[in-house]
Amino acid sequence: FFGSFLCIVFIMWMTRCLVDRLSLETSESISMYLVELIGTLIVSTTYSMSTLHDSPISSIAIGFVVIALIYAFGHISGAHFNPMITIAVYVRGGGFLNTRHTFIFINKRDTFMFMLMQIIGACLGALLTYYIYGEWPYIEPSAHYQNRIGSIFFVEFIYSFLISIVVINVTTTVLQGGNFFYGVSIGMSITAGICVGHRISGGVFNPAIATALSLTNVMRTHGTIKWLWLYWVAPLLGGIFGGLSYFVLNVKEIEHIERMRQENGRQQF
């Protein structure tokens, strides 16, 4: 364990040295990717531990961790920690508001790297949980619902849509820029989803964590990876619809931004 800790410290030190030698734009990208890896690792560890004991307050612990990490890292990467949220933000327009209320865009490369870092972080979190508990964490629908694919799909889809629509409206809209409740809103929507969906689909709403816990599930006796496709398709569809919802529900803001652009264009002319 001590050797693993030293390896992590060494990697972070090497990353810092590398960042110091790179351009500002590249340095900011590396910082975003590193934050997504670390944040997802912590969320994954918390979620993975909750799968090993059926506690009624597990969902609250997960929600609180997400809230804390959003306030800690939101100004760096947007604090996605979830491919579903990354896709939703990209579909909406590819960005987030930082603490200076400036909209920062993420491109296709950032979207891919975010998702890759999230998967790696989630897998590291699952492995860390195994090291701590000595048991493999896992995710799968409850036995009562394993023959009801529609129920599993719609629980993952509906609450992924809920989470993504909350993220889009409290973190990427100009009219709500500068609010201080965004972290609580997102964390509580995740808590609500897990409370409702835990006994049906497993209530993960996060393809990265689902991938990690499906892989570790294979290590268990009679464990399976067959549910993984559901944990990707349903949340990503929820994220896509959540991103598209911005253009339907925020017509007033879109018109406002367009008027401002036209006025700025006339002034420059």
Side-chain angles (χ1 to χ4, degrees):
F1 176 76
F2 184 68
S4 300
F5 175 75
L6 288 178
C7 287
I8 294 174
V9 172
F10 177 74
I11 291 172
M12 294 184 70
W13 176 75
M14 288 295 293
T15 303
R16 182 68 263 171
C17 292
L18 179 62
V19 167
D20 290 339
R21 294 177 176 271
L22 295 174
S23 65
L24 178 61
E25 181 180 357
T26 305
S27 299
E28 289 178 347
S29 295
I30 292 177
S31 297
M32 290 195 301
Y33 305 154
L34 188 60
V35 159
E36 286 298 310
L37 187 149
I38 294 171
T40 309
L41 186 155
I42 297 171
V43 175
S44 175
T45 302
T46 307
Y47 191 96
S48 298
M49 289 182 177
S50 74
T51 68
L52 297 177
H53 57 89
D54 191 13
S55 171
I57 63 172
S58 293
S59 60
I60 298 176
I62 297 167
F64 276 17
V65 164
V66 171
I67 291 171
L69 290 172
I70 287 173
Y71 286 122
F73 296 141
H75 65 291
I76 300 174
S77 70
H80 297 182
F81 315 134
N82 186 336
M84 176 269 293
I85 292 176
T86 299
I87 289 295
V89 172
Y90 182 75
V91 170
R92 173 258 183 266
F96 60 93
L97 289 170
N98 64 10
T99 53
R100 297 183 300 275
H101 317 318
T102 303
F103 202 69
I104 300 176
F105 287 89
I106 58 173
N107 54 34
K108 291 181 180 179
R109 182 193 65 185
D110 293 331
T111 301
F112 172 78
M113 289 301 299
F114 271 35
M115 295 174 70
L116 178 61
M117 292 299 103
Q118 290 157 2
I119 293 171
I120 294 172
C123 290
L124 291 175
L127 292 175
L128 180 59
T129 300
Y130 173 73
Y131 177 83
I132 294 171
Y133 273 81
E135 299 178 46
W136 289 109
Y138 66 96
I139 185 69
E140 62 182 23
S142 63
H144 179 70
Y145 288 93
Q146 288 189 1
N147 292 324
R148 301 176 61 179
I149 303 297
S151 298
I152 300 168
F153 180 90
F154 279 109
V155 165
E156 289 291 317
F157 171 79
I158 290 170
Y159 284 96
S160 294
F161 176 70
L162 164 68
I163 295 166
S164 64
I165 208 172
V166 169
V167 170
I168 292 300
N169 282 281
V170 301
T171 67
T172 73
T173 54
V174 175
L175 296 179
Q176 291 209 73
N179 74 75
F180 295 98
F181 54 77
Y182 60 96
V184 175
S185 300
I186 297 168
M188 289 300 97
S189 65
I190 293 172
T191 297
I194 294 174
C195 283
V196 173
H198 175 65
R199 295 186 181 277
I200 301 174
S201 66
V204 59
F205 319 119
N206 187 322
I209 295 177
T211 298
L213 297 184
S214 294
L215 292 174
T216 53
N217 192 23
V218 176
M219 306 301 293
R220 301 168 60 245
T221 304
H222 306 304
T224 179
I225 200 174
K226 70 177 183 179
W227 306 105
L228 182 56
W229 71 272
L230 267 173
Y231 293 130
W232 271 92
V233 175
L236 289 187
L237 282 177
I240 291 170
F241 277 91
L244 292 174
S245 72
Y246 170 80
F247 303 99
V248 177
L249 303 178
N250 291 278
V251 176
K252 183 184 295 186
E253 173 167 311
I254 294 172
E255 292 176 349
H256 173 70
I257 293 173
E258 186 60 31
R259 284 197 301 270
M260 290 182 62
R261 287 175 177 170
Q262 292 175 357
E263 291 174 1
N264 289 338
R266 285 196 295 268
Q267 291 174 1
Q268 290 176 3
F269 180 76

